Amino acid sequence: MRERDLQLPDGGTLHCYDSESGGLPVFWQHGTPNVGEPPVPLEEAAQRLGVRWVSFDRPGYGGSSPQPDRTLGSTADWVQAVATELELDRFAFMGHSGGSSHALAAAARLPGQTRAVVSVAALAPFDAAGLDWFSGMAPAGVAGLTAAAAGRAAKEEHEASADAPPAFTEADVAMFSGPWRWLGSVAGRGMANGPDPLIDDDLAYVRPWGCAPADISVPVLLVHGDQDEIVPAAHSRWLAQQVPGAELWLQPGDGHISVLSTAESALRWLVEHA
């Protein structure tokens, strides 16, 4: 995996990753709070399927400089900068959790370059018409995102005192003893710069995306566990109704992490549909 720092037009730095091998470039979009290292548990499958992982630390995380007022739609600008640097004309997206929302927003803004998208446990837009956005979400998530909706000062105050653990299911916890324990390492590095990147992410989740899921015109697979209380499955159900032709895999018994047991199958779907 090659890592490099890319200078952005606004003077900021984006820390990037590139596996440099494989035929299909796939931009991995990481969750909150993580860094952008592509998923090690999918490394063997990616090699077998001919996937070239490309990714970056979102602004504020890892080696990327902060961009406090970013939106989910801003992802397209970062993807475009990396694609230009690497001379990539077309590419696909795969993301987990909030990273999936960033992937969908980028796909909506880059219709001519996006080939397909896999979204695992995505958040729908905060202003999603007809969706009770917080319904089924664990209290800790409701509190954190409600604070974000009240503005940066309220979110900063919340993070200074919040100590509730994530709402992981038993199936989620079991995943941390297998290959997906890798998530713990990228989450630890995601918090290395303090809470500001997480705060910026949560503020972005409750702002307008700057684009609409209905604008996506390529094949999209939405994967979600029906026991997920971190991002309730209703979010992917809503997205499936908005994205033209989207396919929904609702995984019975899975939570926010255990749904990643389907990730290899989803990656295969991505290669076939791109």
Side-chain angles (χ1 to χ4, degrees):
M1 186 67 61
R2 182 182 178 187
E3 299 184 36
R4 71 180 81 188
D5 288 332
L6 176 63
Q7 297 303 306
L8 298 174
D10 64 4
T13 298
L14 200 66
H15 187 72
C16 308
Y17 306 79
D18 179 12
S19 66
E20 297 188 315
S21 61
L24 174 65
V26 177
F27 274 88
W28 169 255
Q29 296 294 299
H30 67 81
T32 302
N34 293 172
V35 292
E37 176 185 285
V40 170
L42 293 178
E43 184 176 9
E44 181 180 340
Q47 292 176 356
R48 184 172 66 253
L49 293 168
V51 166
R52 175 183 178 179
W53 287 121
V54 181
S55 61
F56 48 83
D57 302 333
R58 267 196 305 280
Y61 288 109
S64 295
S65 53
Q67 188 176 329
D69 297 323
R70 53 188 169 87
T71 67
L72 268 71
S74 303
T75 311
D77 299 326
W78 311 322
V79 168
Q80 186 64 74
V82 176
T84 299
E85 176 70 17
L86 299 180
E87 299 181 342
L88 303 176
D89 295 326
R90 301 190 70 204
F91 37 77
F93 290 100
M94 184 173 187
H96 175 236
S97 190
S100 289
S101 305
H102 284 84
L104 291 167
R109 286 196 55 209
L110 299 171
Q113 294 167 277
T114 302
R115 298 172 64 171
V117 184
V118 164
S119 160
V120 183
L123 283 157
F126 192 60
D127 58 357
L131 173 66
D132 186 346
W133 207 79
F134 287 115
S135 179
M137 189 179 292
V142 173
L145 290 163
T146 298
R152 180 173 294 275
K155 178 61 177 174
E156 289 175 345
E157 181 179 354
H158 173 82
E159 289 303 319
S161 59
D163 57 3
F168 291 138
T169 66
E170 290 185 9
D172 288 335
V173 173
M175 289 287 282
F176 288 114
S177 62
W180 286 98
R181 63 182 178 273
W182 165 82
L183 278 173
S185 70
V186 290
R189 284 183 280 153
M191 291 301 293
N193 295 342
D196 285 350
L198 178 151
I199 291 170
D200 292 340
D201 269 356
D202 279 4
L203 290 170
Y205 297 140
V206 299
R207 290 185 181 125
W209 284 19
C211 54
D215 294 337
I216 301 173
S217 57
V218 298
V220 172
L221 172 63
L222 301 157
V223 185
H224 220 119
D226 69 355
Q227 299 302 304
D228 192 339
E229 294 185 7
I230 294 177
V231 179
H235 286 243
S236 280
R237 290 194 188 100
W238 185 91
L239 286 163
Q241 295 174 347
Q242 301 298 313
V243 179
E247 187 173 341
L248 174 62
W249 291 0
L250 193 61
Q251 301 300 120
D254 273 333
H256 197 66
I257 305 299
S258 63
V259 72
L260 287 166
S261 62
T262 66
E264 183 173 336
S265 296
L267 185 62
R268 186 179 304 112
W269 181 100
L270 186 66
V271 172
E272 291 172 353
H273 287 78

